[in-house]
């Protein structure tokens, strides 16, 4: 896998203003294996969301939000490769992240994971949002399909 980078336009590319969550996603292959997927290499998914101004569909339009750097991992089995493509679609549709409101009138909101679950650790098990988790790839597939992404 070559390193690949994409830009997100909040899933609302026709908008006239530039508010809302925007950012980039980069996929890279690392030679380490995820527990439970010992025969496969791993995709490291890096999302970079800069600070911005909340858009019309965010909790407090016009208020600021704090972005961040988010990382996730996916085994590069045949199912993992297919899901990587689906995660890219979900990112472009604005499903990957959401703005959580700040404590006072939405000010100081910050970007958090949205509707699509990601594994943010390679190990530690399900309780630590890592692997092994034998149901994760099927669960991720079901959620993506529920959002019309296949």
């Amino acid at each position: 896998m070559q390193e690949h980078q994409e830009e997100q336009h909040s899933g609302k590319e026709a908008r006239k203003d530039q508010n809302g969550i925007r950012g980039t996603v980069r996929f890279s292959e690392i030679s380490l294996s995820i527990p439970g997927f010992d025969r496969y290499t791993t995709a490291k998914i890096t999302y970079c969301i800069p600070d911005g101004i909340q858009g019309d569909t965010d909790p407090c339009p016009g208020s600021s939000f704090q972005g961040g750097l988010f990382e996730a991992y996916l085994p590069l089995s045949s199912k993992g490769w297919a899901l990587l493509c689906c995660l890219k679609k979900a990112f472009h549709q604005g499903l990957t992240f959401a703005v959580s409101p700040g404590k006072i009138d939405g000010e100081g909101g910050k970007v958090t994971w949205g509707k699509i679950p990601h594994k943010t650790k390679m190990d530690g098990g399900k309780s630590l949002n890592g692997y092994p988790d034998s149901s994760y790839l099927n669960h991720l597939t079901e959620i993506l399909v529920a959002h019309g992404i296949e």
Side-chain angles (χ1 to χ4, degrees):
M1 169 192 287
Q2 296 177 358
E3 192 167 289
H4 183 72
Q5 183 165 317
E6 299 274 336
E7 185 172 348
Q8 173 190 10
H9 298 281
S10 298
K12 301 165 184 67
E13 296 177 71
R15 293 166 55 151
K16 293 179 183 167
D17 65 58
Q18 296 299 308
N19 293 343
I21 298 172
R22 300 176 59 83
T24 58
V25 59
R26 186 177 62 231
F27 310 105
S28 57
E29 184 174 4
I30 57 177
S31 60
L32 300 173
S33 294
I34 290 173
F37 296 92
D38 298 332
R39 297 183 7 217
Y40 304 101
T41 57
T42 300
K44 180 179 180 183
I45 309 163
T46 305
Y47 298 98
C48 182
I49 309 297
D51 296 349
I53 302 298
Q54 295 182 44
D56 297 338
T57 60
D58 294 322
C60 194
S63 294
S64 64
F65 67 81
Q66 178 185 358
L69 186 67
F70 300 83
E71 294 179 339
Y73 301 92
L74 195 64
L76 287 174
S77 61
S78 57
K79 189 165 194 163
W81 278 105
L83 286 169
L84 195 59
C85 293
C86 293
L87 289 174
K88 180 174 129 178
K89 290 177 187 176
F91 179 71
H92 287 295
Q93 291 180 21
L95 300 171
T96 306
F97 296 100
V99 175
S100 66
K103 300 200 185 314
I104 305 171
D105 296 332
E107 281 294 327
K110 69 180 200 175
V111 173
T112 60
W113 290 105
K115 299 175 180 180
I116 310 300
H118 285 67
K119 289 292 186 180
T120 57
K121 295 187 174 37
M122 288 181 61
D123 56 18
K126 192 173 184 175
S127 65
L128 295 177
N129 206 26
Y131 296 90
D133 181 350
S134 61
S135 64
Y136 173 66
L137 297 183
N138 289 333
H139 178 66
L140 177 59
T141 300
E142 290 169 3
I143 289 175
L144 289 164
V145 167
H147 288 288
I149 299 172
E150 295 185 55

